[in-house]
Amino acid sequence: MKKSYLLIVLSFLLAFVLFSMSGMAQEPIKIGAVNPLGDITGRQSTNAMELAVAEINEAGGLLGRPVELIVVDSEFRPEKGAAAIEKLATVDEVDFFVGGMSSGVHLAQIPSLKKYKKVTVWAGAASHKAEEAIGADADWYFHLHPWDYQQGASYGVGWNAIVKENPEIDIARVFLAYEEGAFGSDSYKAYAAMAEQASEGKGAFAGVMEEFKGASFKSAAMGGGDYRAMLQQAKEYNPDLFIWAGYDADAIPMLGQAREIGFEPNLYVGAPPGWPANFGRNPLSDKVILYGMWAPALNEVSDVAKHFWDAYVEMHDEEPATYFAPLGYTNIKFLAKGIEKAGTLEKEAVISALKSTKYVSPLGSTLEISPSNIIQNQGFTRQKILQYQDGKQHVIWPFEFATTEIEYPFSW
Amino acid sequence: MNKKAILIILTALAVVLPFFTGAYVLSIFISIFVFLSLSLSWDMMLRTGQLSFGTAGFFGIGAYASALAVANLGLNPILSIILGGLFSAIIAFALGFVVLRLREIYFAITTLALTHVFSVIIRNLSDITGGASGTILPNAIFNGDPKLIYWAILLITFMVIGISEMFKRTKIRFAINSIRNDETTAKSSGIDVFKYLLLVFVITSAIQGVIGAFYAQQFAFVNPESTFSLNFLLLPIAMALVGGIYTTSGPIIGALILGLISEYLKLLIPYGHLVVYGVIIVLVVLFLPEGIFKSVKKLFASKDNVGSDINAQS
Amino acid sequence: MPSLETKNVVKKFGGLVATNDLSFSVDNGEILGIIGPNGAGKTTIINLIAGTLPVTSGKIIFSGEDVTNFAAHERNQKGISRTFQTVRPLDDLTAIENIMIGALFGQKMGLKDAREVAKEICKLIGFNNFDRSIDQLTVLELKKIELGRALASDPDLLFLDELMAGLNMEETYELIDVIRKLQKRDLAICVVEHIMKVVKELTSRVIVLDQGQIIAKGPYEEVSQQKNVIAAYLGEDE
Amino acid sequence: MSLTKKQYIMLFLLALIILIIALWQPHALIYGIQRGSLYALIALPLALVLGILGVLNLAHGEFLTVGLYLSYMLYERFNLDPLLSIIPVVIILSLIGAGIYLLTIKHVLKDGHLNQLLLTFGVSLILIEIINIIWTSRPRNVFTSYSYSSMSIGNFSFGTYEFLYFFMAIAVLILLQLFLKKTRLGQATFAVGQNPRGAKIVGINVSYVYLFVFTLAVAILGLVGAVMLPRTAIFPAVGSPFSLKSFALAAMAGLGNMNGILIAGIGLGIGEAVIKSIPGAGGWADIVFFGVLIAVIIARSYREGN
């Protein structure tokens, strides 16, 4: 037993040596990506990045050089995510950082990112805490995902537009159910602030939201999964619009528990980052409204979206499950377009090129850079309002990408 | 003598490592030292016979004490690391009077429950702590300079190793071994069992607090989810057990081996490396039940007197 | 002044009375035997006096001081020491280190002094394998370690709980000689024993316990003739 | 069974508290009973393994996860209703449990608690990651027409399916106790739990009893998994939090006290539900669970200490 153990150790060492020697290549442009590969979001985002890189290389690369994507797993652990940045910067000597998912991991990466100040195009992490940590000076930092407060505001804009089109819809009373972690409580803070503004006739929700209330719940993803006490409070409040900010695992049980206690708001909205597999197949899903960046239905109205979908399915033999797939694709394509435009890898040039780059993305909107509350280079600022109809996600707002009209009111 | 020379060489190597390697390797070792210190501190408590599941909890409150002192009071980050340790020590001292009455699984589950209580309190006191989204700091300690950060954690780790050795070389060793073996005999030999339990509980909690504070300053943020993560409980335990408990060398070896393996596996097998990690842990328990350190020691010892091997019972 | 005096000591476990109204005393330089059938409460008495169990009521006076509410380790530091029936030495310490424990904590000594004290004691009890590991020792040697640990805290009052159990005649007499030597040092010693030969050889006086009560007192020769004592021992066989 | 005066007072107080809650927060009472029963149902097999084998199984929740996924797989592949899948799930999961026991846990029974802890930690890592590789981290659900059925009293509606947890918890509890008292194997199990060495001496095949108990515990988790499936989203880490909760309940009830687990489970369930029902206080619900746990354990230590 002892001998075989030594053998195992030795073979590990040998493998380590071989592995470290194999890292030689010519001179590609190196993009370093950090994603949680054990999670579907990170895995598919990585897949989509690989697709984008493959397309770029097929078309002759960038500035005449091939592009190499080097991916390191963050494991959803802050210290691992930070170490990944260090590895990409010092061992692989990448030219650019891309990646996403989890504000907790991203916060731990920010000190390292600030140290290297390489051009960074980050897809995920929506917490305004990350924006605070990055700070106003970081001109090399580009952030694609709308910040938490931007998401909230964009729904206000959306509902205003929808109510204008459909006067029978009323969203005077809003109830927000939020998971008690960072994602949920940040959403709550953002809503509470917007409700405050709306009561003074200001902000995105002015004119539509008159009253607001919230209650927290423990997400099934964190070991909870019993929403009834929260739903009971919602039912007593009797809102026109009920919205929950939680995770995909909460979607169906919460719907079912709402039905069994007889809670039937006119608008039942969910704002998780992703939805469970086959949610649409569940009869409870009909007329559920969702907030998001993307839906497969965009294939009907956007050529880029259609192209992305088909190419992804062809390359990876699976369907993109969440918006992190098209977002990962966008992440690479946008960066590549900026580099192309700059015509060089020189940092200042790439930064100013990216600032003025416009990219028609598979997410159904054009990506362009503008300042947000703190940082200079924010990408998307708006989310979309979608609705499950006949088991499919449809875009109902913004109207230019709408695949159908809203069905109202929600009923069991 | 030979052993001493090896130790000096290893120490010197650890100190000069930053001159020969880059930020990535340093960041791996920084993280290994963090877990190594936690692992040793957990083992020190275990030497009294008390299985603590509170490692993550004291790590977390140390981290929060330090981060909040820097963010709200403008305390110097280095001082705040000491403060983190002090704060954890004070909480441990206060709780110790009640918690240290408990034994075995009751002590274990209570310390684990305390971890959750800490994190719920911190999550709900959002005015002070930033709530679920946490608190960020303007800057990482030493401006994020990996060399300085490395030397800082190395210094802390040496201190923790020193404390662990102190536990091995002084009276304390006799007290805690005695308590672990049989409390009644310990008491009847004049050992103030509670006093020693409290001493060890406070010291190990202080270490955990210091490490938590360091971690918070290294990454310049705290939030309940990351800071009270059960990783800070389970990984140190796994490291100590894989390396070998009741020793100083065991947790060190365990932390180095598991820390390096986990990082290496991740690069080798991007998808599903945790399965292999789990398999390694299971294999170690099955085939090296006393941990790597003691097993290797035995392997060398058995060369001297072959045949005196005691057959393991099947 | 007697070394130890107990006054009306009562111990109840729930509704069960383990010892009832115990009053006795031991003088310095005296060896008292505590005998009685199984379950009579002999070990309970040691636990009560050494402080590992709290009394329900009554008083324990040691060297003129009321120690009833003292913790076990404090009583040890004051000078009450005991051996245990089942010897449980620390197997990660060497023989002499096991003995040192008593000096380290009972006398609050430093490591060096404690080692010296332990060596002295080893001489006294006739133990030479200082640095052997525990699992290499004979039964007699283990008993000596146990006795040595108890002695290392420099007690004025020493309880020996069935120290001779499991030893052969030769070994038993070796330990009896050791205990006699101790007596000369003016220690008060209480011997709990099943082996009547030992009691007869060693003690000047015995108390006989049955169901937690003292049923007889006096020199062993006298007491062993008393009817109630014989009945108590006979009752054990029923 | 005769009760002491103290116990009567305790029971009376308990009844009073429940009555007050029923009047003040009727839904909290119902949800508390339902959820608390589920906690207890999952904690019972953990306590069984802890009590008889002395193993604290950190992979406990993962066996539940495997049970949920097995039931899900049968639903997806063969369109088998989760409640009908109980039998195949229990059988398959028992085999998996027995296999894992024979391969791993059996070999560390003599190694002390800590190695068992580490081993089951490794097993739980492996199980979670294998599930993640097969099914990804995406949550999955099944739809059944009955799982969200409800009852209304006036304006007050509540779900009825989860009462199944309550009845099952009682049934499992009774069956376990009948088994321990009335069957030969059960008596042997009880004897092993009391004193394994003694049991061996009187001729009980201890290693067989261990295998049986572990398999039985895993089988119960299969049963719970199949019954839970219609009401939960499943994902690789779905069962993990239950290991902790189960451990908490077992410790709160005290080792070997199975009735106590059900009482503790329901008590904590109601406590949680009441806190959650108070507007603005939902975030503190976990404090109830862990606070009461700590309080009970410490109070008991004082009682036993005196």
Side-chain angles (χ1 to χ4, degrees), chain B residues 169-175 177-178 180-182 184-185 187-193 196, chain C residues 52 72-73 76-77 82 84 88 90 92-93 97 100-102 104-106 108-109 111 149:
Chain B
R169 286 157 199 262
T170 62
K171 257 177 103 154
I172 299 174
R173 168 184 179 218
F174 292 81
N177 282 13
S178 189
R180 181 175 79 230
N181 270 270
D182 185 355
T184 317
T185 313
K187 281 181 196 163
S188 300
S189 309
I191 297 170
D192 186 344
V193 172
Y196 278 99
Chain C
T52 34
H73 67 271
N76 178 265
Q77 289 164 4
R82 67 178 289 189
F84 285 86
R88 273 169 288 192
L90 308 186
D92 47 358
L93 299 185
E97 284 174 332
M100 281 165 65
I101 289 178
L104 285 170
F105 302 99
K108 300 187 177 175
M109 279 183 171
L111 285 175
R149 185 190 50 73

Side-chain angles (χ1 to χ4, degrees), chain A residues 38 40 218 228 232 260 281, chain D residues 34 76 132 137 231 286:
Chain A
I40 182 101
K218 187 166 190 171
R228 295 171 294 186
Q232 201 73 39
E260 74 186 12
R281 236 167 54 186
Chain D
Q34 294 180 339
E76 284 287 297
N132 195 6
S137 63
R231 296 267 311 178
D286 272 354

Side-chain angles (χ1 to χ4, degrees), chain D residues 74-183:
Chain D
L74 292 170
Y75 175 87
E76 284 287 297
R77 276 276 167 84
F78 308 107
N79 212 8
L80 193 62
D81 188 282
L83 291 185
L84 293 178
S85 76
I86 287 176
I87 294 165
V89 168
V90 164
I91 292 171
I92 301 170
L93 195 64
S94 302
L95 292 176
I96 294 174
I100 289 179
Y101 172 82
L102 291 173
L103 270 176
T104 62
I105 294 166
K106 183 179 183 216
H107 305 285
V108 297
L109 285 177
K110 290 199 177 95
D111 284 355
H113 298 300
L114 288 167
N115 274 353
Q116 296 156 6
L117 209 66
L118 181 61
L119 179 90
T120 54
F121 169 63
V123 169
S124 91
L125 259 185
I126 296 171
L127 290 177
I128 292 179
E129 287 307 312
I130 289 177
I131 289 169
N132 195 6
I133 289 169
I134 301 176
W135 281 287
T136 78
S137 63
R138 245 189 138 182
R140 281 145 210 282
N141 301 78
V142 305
F143 177 77
T144 58
S145 53
Y146 50 78
S147 55
Y148 296 104
S149 53
S150 66
M151 231 171 100
S152 293
I153 301 171
N155 191 24
F156 174 48
S157 305
F158 53 91
T160 47
Y161 182 85
E162 290 198 9
F163 281 120
L164 200 53
Y165 300 157
F166 178 68
F167 296 121
M168 275 179 57
I170 289 184
V172 167
L173 193 60
I174 291 174
L175 286 176
L176 270 180
Q177 275 165 349
L178 279 179
F179 159 74
L180 286 176
K181 282 192 188 130
K182 302 281 172 183
T183 66

